[in-house]
Amino acid sequence: MKNVVAALASLALALLCIACVSLVEQGARVVDGSLFAEKTLAVYQGEGVEMRLTRARDGTEYLLMNLDAFPFITLRAIPSESGRFQLVAFQFLSSNLDGWNEFTLDLAGSGVLTIEEAAARLRIDTLIPVDISAGEILHNGARLSGEVALSNLRNRAERIRVLVAWMRDITAPAFRTQPVFEAYWKPLLLPELTPAAERPVIWTREDAVWKHAEDIAWNATYTATMFPEALCTLRDSGALLRDWEEAVTWIYFVYQETYIRERFSKDYLLSRTK
């Protein structure tokens, strides 16, 4: 009976967290106006993809595309009467228990869109990420925008690029969901925060040197053995912990960048649902 009660309590807590995250995301969009900024003209779905045609308040029409497996990003493009479209950006929004990260990652590239009676054919020919051009951060009730947010977001983007470059040099299984990704990498990156049985074999207290940051004693001996110099500083200073807690979805996004680009760049035949 105790096990049943504990399981129900865990389920209730999980559902509460999901609800909180959803409210935070919607709150972000209400505050910046994006929740109400565009009118949906048509919706097309199929193959784990949703495409929407929208019109902004200034009359500009957009093509918005989402992948079911990566709901935190939206590809934005501007269609033309010729049937081609120009890519504009990936719009990224992810929440954590203390707030959110939201940014626009500019894109270069183009594709072809053919609208039929009850369907749409879509193909992206080129997709090239450029740079983060705008964004906002909410953390512990403090909201950052403008140049301050942009600087923080670009700095975090650079740290994440360094981390993911190291991750890709390690032989690891394929990850098709974020929870599986987190379960694999957290014991390697942050063994001090994982159960002892899940820590890497090379993590040991024997003869270890410790560095204190973010109220945690980091095993600097493990750090130096496991990571390149650039990541050693991030881990032992607690910066890696902050990035993991506040932006693990962003880390997952960058890690899966090649796969995401491949998914967006398929030829799609989508059925109109609205």
Side-chain angles (χ1 to χ4, degrees):
M1 179 61 71
K2 290 183 178 179
N3 291 337
V4 173
V5 172
L8 290 174
S10 298
L11 177 60
L13 180 59
L15 292 174
L16 178 60
C17 289
I18 291 171
C20 291
V21 168
S22 178
L23 287 172
V24 168
E25 289 182 351
Q26 184 159 318
R29 296 187 179 280
V30 169
V31 172
D32 68 15
S34 62
L35 186 64
F36 311 108
E38 297 174 19
K39 177 181 179 180
T40 298
L41 305 177
V43 178
Y44 299 84
Q45 294 177 318
E47 301 181 63
V49 171
E50 179 181 90
M51 184 190 79
R52 286 173 287 145
L53 297 177
T54 68
R55 181 181 293 119
R57 290 172 178 168
D58 64 2
T60 303
E61 293 190 359
Y62 290 99
L63 181 160
L64 306 180
M65 189 174 176
N66 295 90
L67 299 175
D68 291 350
F70 301 93
F72 46 83
I73 54 173
T74 298
L75 184 145
R76 180 176 289 267
I78 299 179
S80 67
E81 293 181 358
S82 68
R84 295 199 62 82
F85 58 84
Q86 296 296 317
L87 300 185
V88 175
F90 273 138
Q91 293 178 298
F92 176 95
L93 173 63
S94 72
S95 301
N96 55 65
L97 292 180
D98 294 322
W100 72 73
N101 293 285
E102 184 173 13
F103 62 80
T104 298
L105 174 62
D106 290 347
L107 299 176
S110 62
V112 178
L113 174 65
T114 303
I115 302 295
E116 301 175 357
E117 183 176 351
R121 295 181 181 273
L122 176 75
R123 184 186 75 246
I124 294 176
D125 295 325
T126 56
L127 191 164
I128 304 170
V130 181
D131 198 5
I132 295 175
S133 61
E136 293 189 344
I137 301 168
L138 180 70
H139 181 63
N140 288 335
R143 185 173 182 178
L144 302 180
S145 59
E147 290 300 319
V148 174
L150 184 58
S151 176
N152 286 350
L153 289 165
R154 286 178 172 172
N155 288 340
R156 172 159 278 168
E158 180 58 31
R159 295 196 302 272
I160 290 175
R161 279 194 289 268
V162 171
L163 172 62
V164 170
W166 170 80
M167 285 176 161
R168 288 174 177 160
D169 284 338
I170 295 178
T171 301
F175 306 104
R176 287 295 177 260
T177 68
Q178 185 176 324
V180 175
F181 173 84
E182 293 183 34
Y184 180 88
W185 285 110
K186 185 175 180 181
L188 294 175
L189 298 175
L190 307 167
E192 292 83 358
L193 303 182
T194 58
E198 297 178 13
R199 292 171 183 161
V201 175
I202 64 172
W203 192 98
T204 175
R205 296 182 181 277
E206 186 176 353
D207 299 324
V209 175
W210 303 90
K211 293 188 178 180
H212 294 263
E214 300 293 324
D215 298 323
I216 294 172
W218 301 103
N219 187 331
T221 304
Y222 170 79
T223 304
T225 302
M226 189 72 174
F227 300 94
E229 184 176 354
L231 283 178
C232 288
T233 302
L234 296 179
R235 201 184 100 86
D236 291 342
S237 68
L240 179 58
L241 170 63
R242 292 193 298 275
D243 287 339
W244 183 265
E245 290 183 338
E246 298 171 17
V248 65
T249 300
W250 188 349
I251 297 171
Y252 180 60
F253 167 51
V254 176
Y255 187 90
Q256 297 284 41
E257 180 181 13
T258 299
Y259 176 68
I260 290 172
R261 289 170 65 179
E262 290 174 353
R263 285 294 312 276
F264 273 112
S265 299
K266 290 176 57 178
D267 290 340
Y268 286 103
L269 175 60
L270 308 175
S271 300
R272 181 165 184 172
T273 58
K274 181 178 179 182

